[in-house]
Amino acid sequence: MNKKAGQRADGYANMLNKYGTPQDNSTAYRFQSEGFVPDALLTEHYEENGLFAKIIDAPAEEAIKHGFELDTEHPDAEQLLTDALDALDWTEKAATAIKWARLYGGAVIVMLIDDGGGLDEPLNRAAIKGIDGIHVYERAVVQPDWTAALYGLPQYYNVSSINGFFTVHASRCLVFKNGILPEYTTNAQYRFWGQPEYIRIRNELRECSTAHGLGVKLLDRSVQAVYAMKGLAELMQTEEGEDIVLRRMQLIDKARGVLNSMAIDADGESYDFKSVTFAGVKDIIDTTCNMLSAVTSIPQTILFGRSPAGMNATGQGDLENFYNLCERIQKMMLYGNLKTLAEVIFAAAYAKGDIDETPRVKIKFNPLWSLSETEQATVEQTRATVSQIKAQTAQIYVDMGALDPKEVRCGLADEGDFDIEKMLDDLPEEDLMTGWEDQPAPSNAESEEEQGGDPL
C-alpha cells in the first residue's frame, strides 16, 4: 500500500503480466465517439436496412394502435373527438411523427387551424373556427428560429420542405422529441430535439447484421478442398508454371462437377477434403441478437420473430420491457400533443355549436397488454371467488346482527358491489356491538363439542 499526503492507492499488481500497473492492457480502453452522423445516412439505413426500419417502426406503431379513452362528463365529447381525429387521419400522422422522431431525433406536426391568422402568427384560441388538416415534418427539414426564443424555447420554426419553404409559429405546432439531452451535448443540433436511435445502437446493429452475414458465408468454407501436386514449388518458379497449375486444377474441378469423379496421377498427386466445424457460431450470433435487443428494449420475439427460448420461457418479461418503452413514448410524445389537439378540436366544435361548452380534456391510454382467453377466464374466476367470499362474509354479519340486509342491498344498488369494511366503519360503535350483546355466551360443554372434544 502506498500512502501519501491526501492520497491512498492500494490493490493487487503483477509485474510479470503488468496487471494493476500503468502498462495493464485491460485498463487502456477509453470510450471514443464515432463522430457526426449525416441525416442522409439515417435515411439510407431506414430505407435499405429492414432490421433498423423495424426498430424504428415497431414501438411507434404499438404505442398508437391501442387508442385512448377521454375522461369527461360531456356525453358526446369522446365520440366527437374520435370522429374529428379520424377525419384528420391522426393515427397515421401521429405514428409517422413518432417514427421520424426516433429516426432523426425529432419531428413536428403543423396544424392548419382556421382562426383568421397566418401560419407565422400566434394562435388565437378565442377565434378558432375549425382545423383543416395536420402535416408531419421531420427534424431534418425543420430549423428552430432561436432569434426570437422565449424562456429557452423557439417561437418560430422554419420548414424547408420539398413542397416549399415557410415559417410557422410554435403555437400551431405539435413537437415530438426523442428524449432529453444535457446542455453540454456533443452535437448542438440534437440539444433541443433529442438523440436519433441509430447513434445509440449503431455498434450493436452493425455487429448483429454482420454476424448473420458472416455466418452464411461460412457455408462456402464448410468443406475445403486440398490439392497436392508433386514439385509444385519448383513448377511455380517457371514462366508457364502458374498457368499449368491453374489449368490442372480447373480440369479436376470440372471433372468433379460434371462427372462426379476425379482422375489424378497415382504418383505425385492427391486430392482431399477438410471439413470445418461450426461449433460456437450459433452462440455468437445469439449473443449479438441479445445485445441488440437489450439496447433497443425490443424483444427478439418482435425484432426477429423468434419464439422465447429456455425452460418455462413465456417471453412476458421481454414484452413487459417493450410495453414500458411504448408507455414512455405515450407519456413523452403523445399525451401533451394529443391533449393540445383535442383542445383545438373542442374549441372549433364549440364555435360551430356542436357542443354547448368546451369539456375538460383528460386522456387515458388503453392498456397495451391484451389478455388471452385463458388469462381472461382466470381473472373472471378470481373475481367470482372474491365475490363469493364477500357474500359469505356479509351473510355472517347479517346473521349476527352487525349488518342489516337493507344496507347490503343499498351497497349493491349503488355500485354493484359492497365493501364490508366500509359498511362496518360507517356504523356507530354502539350499533356494531348490538348483535354481539344479544348472543348468549356458549357453555363449556358446547365449546368443547365445537372443538371436537368429549364433555366430562
Side-chain angles (χ1 to χ4, degrees):
M1 180 174 63
N2 182 20
K3 290 185 178 180
K4 294 181 180 180
Q7 179 182 3
R8 171 174 174 167
D10 55 4
Y12 291 100
N14 191 325
M15 301 305 298
L16 296 178
N17 57 13
K18 307 302 181 181
Y19 178 82
T21 66
Q23 291 78 28
D24 186 2
N25 294 332
S26 62
T27 61
Y29 293 100
R30 295 292 184 273
F31 179 80
Q32 185 175 358
S33 175
E34 293 190 10
F36 175 71
V37 178
D39 294 332
L41 181 61
L42 299 175
T43 305
E44 291 175 359
H45 274 283
Y46 182 78
E47 293 176 344
E48 302 178 9
N49 191 327
L51 182 60
F52 178 65
K54 183 178 289 188
I55 293 173
I56 297 298
D57 294 348
E61 295 172 354
E62 187 69 24
I64 195 69
K65 75 175 185 179
H66 294 274
F68 64 93
E69 295 180 357
L70 184 64
D71 185 9
T72 179
E73 297 179 356
H74 197 285
D76 302 326
E78 185 170 359
Q79 186 61 42
L80 187 149
L81 179 60
T82 301
D83 295 340
L85 292 177
D86 291 341
L88 295 173
D89 199 10
W90 162 255
T91 300
E92 181 180 354
K93 298 295 180 60
T96 302
I98 297 174
K99 292 177 184 178
W100 292 168
R102 289 174 55 80
L103 178 61
Y104 297 102
V108 297
I109 291 182
V110 178
M111 299 180 291
L112 304 180
I113 302 174
D114 181 12
D115 65 335
L119 283 177
D120 57 346
E121 297 179 3
L123 177 63
N124 185 1
R125 293 183 175 272
I128 294 177
K129 299 179 181 179
I131 177 169
D132 299 328
I134 55 177
H135 297 279
V136 185
Y137 300 96
E138 62 267 25
R139 177 205 50 80
V141 298
V142 178
Q143 180 62 41
D145 187 0
W146 296 108
T147 59
L150 181 62
Y151 300 111
L153 297 177
Q155 297 300 299
Y156 297 92
Y157 295 96
N158 299 319
V159 181
S160 303
S161 173
I162 58 176
N163 298 320
F165 174 84
F166 63 91
T167 300
V168 58
H169 194 268
S171 60
R172 301 178 184 271
C173 296
L174 304 177
V175 182
F176 292 75
K177 300 180 181 180
N178 192 36
I180 301 175
L181 292 177
E183 292 187 2
Y184 289 99
T185 180
T186 56
N187 195 331
Q189 70 171 336
Y190 300 142
R191 181 182 295 114
F192 172 73
W193 300 99
Q195 194 88 314
E197 289 295 319
Y198 174 77
I199 296 179
R200 291 193 175 101
I201 68 171
R202 53 183 166 186
N203 291 332
E204 291 76 13
L205 179 64
R206 178 176 60 244
E207 292 176 357
C208 182
S209 300
T210 55
H212 282 79
L214 294 176
V216 175
K217 289 183 178 180
L218 285 176
L219 296 175
D220 296 336
R221 300 180 178 271
S222 60
V223 179
Q224 179 65 46
V226 179
Y227 173 64
M229 176 185 295
K230 186 177 181 180
L232 177 62
E234 297 178 358
L235 185 61
M236 292 295 293
Q237 294 178 359
T238 62
E239 295 181 358
E240 299 180 355
E242 184 176 352
D243 295 336
I244 295 174
V245 173
L246 291 177
R247 287 198 301 269
R248 180 57 177 166
M249 294 178 63
Q250 291 173 357
L251 179 61
I252 293 176
D253 288 340
K254 183 177 180 180
R256 184 170 64 90
V258 176
L259 303 177
N260 197 21
S261 61
M262 292 180 295
I264 60 177
D265 192 347
D267 184 16
E269 282 186 326
S270 65
Y271 200 92
D272 192 11
F273 294 96
K274 301 294 183 181
S275 299
V276 179
T277 61
F278 295 97
V281 175
K282 181 180 181 301
D283 296 334
I284 296 176
I285 296 178
D286 289 343
T287 301
T288 60
C289 295
N290 293 337
M291 193 61 184
L292 182 61
S293 179
V295 297
T296 58
S297 297
I298 302 177
Q300 298 189 38
T301 54
I302 297 176
L303 199 56
F304 301 102
R306 180 183 301 178
S307 301
M311 184 177 298
N312 298 327
T314 60
Q316 292 185 358
D318 296 338
L319 286 176
E320 184 177 356
N321 295 333
F322 177 63
Y323 289 145
N324 289 337
L325 169 63
C326 296
E327 289 178 355
R328 290 197 299 270
I329 293 176
Q330 290 177 341
K331 293 178 181 179
M332 298 182 64
M333 296 190 191
L334 279 178
Y335 183 82
N337 290 322
L338 180 56
K339 184 177 180 180
T340 301
L341 181 58
E343 292 173 351
V344 172
I345 292 174
F346 286 138
Y350 177 75
K352 295 178 181 178
D354 295 338
I355 53 178
D356 53 359
E357 61 178 359
T358 54
R360 176 178 58 89
V361 178
K362 187 175 182 181
I363 296 171
K364 179 181 179 182
F365 291 100
N366 293 327
L368 301 175
W369 188 282
S370 300
L371 297 179
S372 62
E373 294 182 359
T374 302
E375 293 172 339
Q376 185 65 34
T378 303
V379 172
E380 293 177 357
Q381 182 180 4
T382 303
R383 290 177 179 174
T385 303
V386 173
S387 299
Q388 182 180 6
I389 295 174
K390 287 183 177 180
Q392 293 173 353
T393 305
Q395 182 64 42
I396 294 174
Y397 283 116
V398 170
D399 293 341
M400 69 173 56
L403 286 178
D404 189 87
K406 294 181 179 180
E407 295 174 333
V408 179
R409 285 196 298 268
C410 291
L412 290 173
D414 293 340
E415 301 179 359
D417 196 0
F418 54 87
D419 189 347
I420 300 297
E421 298 296 335
K422 183 178 179 181
M423 291 181 180
L424 295 177
D425 292 340
D426 294 339
L427 289 176
E429 185 176 355
E430 56 272 11
D431 295 343
L432 185 62
M433 299 301 297
T434 301
W436 292 96
E437 295 174 354
D438 298 338
Q439 296 289 335
S443 61
N444 294 335
E446 292 176 350
S447 300
E448 292 178 355
E449 288 179 358
E450 292 176 356
Q451 297 175 1
D454 297 332
L456 295 177

